[in-house]
Amino acid sequence: QVIAYSRRRYRILGETLDVAVGNCIDRLARLLQIPNAPSPGYNVEQLAKREPWGEPKIKGGDPKSLFFISQAVTPKLLESGEATPEDLCFSLQETAFAMLAEVTERALALTRARHLLLVGGVAC
């Protein structure tokens, strides 16, 4: 969620429709059988770094649906040979974080805030 505190109220300025970003990363890690130690997100990031910079393989679907990204598309891409685990980790990071950056920029512009606080496991 992207939340702003204004006039003694919290306002939700953006959120996903189905699963949180951390849950999406965890689902991809389970699908690819990536180990949990030290954390699924860290290991997904390490695989994503191996992918040469290119266009993400995961595209389309509802822009707020992380379930679409982590479950609906990735098995098909793996089975068909269109993508490697590295491709999918890179694509997930690029797609999910682009979604987060877009809604965060919009929220900052809307609230005219000068500060941003990132919290939670994904923010780490």
Side-chain angles (χ1 to χ4, degrees), residues 26-112:
D26 291 348
R27 286 173 184 243
L28 180 67
R30 277 193 299 277
L31 175 74
L32 298 176
Q33 298 178 347
I34 294 172
N36 281 331
S39 74
Y42 175 81
N43 294 327
V44 166
E45 183 178 1
Q46 297 314 304
L47 279 177
K49 287 178 182 179
R50 294 184 194 169
E51 172 59 26
W53 296 97
E55 285 296 311
K57 304 253 187 232
I58 302 171
K59 294 181 180 178
D62 190 314
K64 292 183 181 179
S65 176
L66 294 174
F67 179 80
F68 172 83
I69 293 170
S70 68
Q71 294 294 105
V73 174
T74 53
K76 294 175 189 169
L77 291 172
L78 279 174
E79 290 168 10
S80 69
E82 292 178 59
T84 65
E86 291 83 1
D87 288 330
L88 295 177
C89 291
F90 171 77
S91 294
L92 174 66
Q93 283 195 174
E94 287 295 305
T95 304
F97 295 146
M99 291 165 55
L100 290 171
E102 182 180 338
V103 72
T104 302
E105 287 175 5
R106 196 174 323 121
L108 288 170
L110 179 68
T111 62
R112 298 182 184 175

Side-chain angles (χ1 to χ4, degrees), residues 9-31:
R9 290 188 176 156
Y10 286 98
R11 301 177 191 283
I12 297 173
L13 301 173
E15 62 185 335
T16 61
L17 293 175
D18 41 29
V19 298
V21 177
N23 190 283
C24 181
I25 293 169
D26 291 348
R27 286 173 184 243
L28 180 67
R30 277 193 299 277
L31 175 74

Side-chain angles (χ1 to χ4, degrees), residues 3-4 104 107-108 111-118:
I3 302 171
T104 302
L108 288 170
T111 62
R112 298 182 184 175
R114 294 186 301 185
H115 303 283
L116 173 67
L117 179 63
L118 298 175

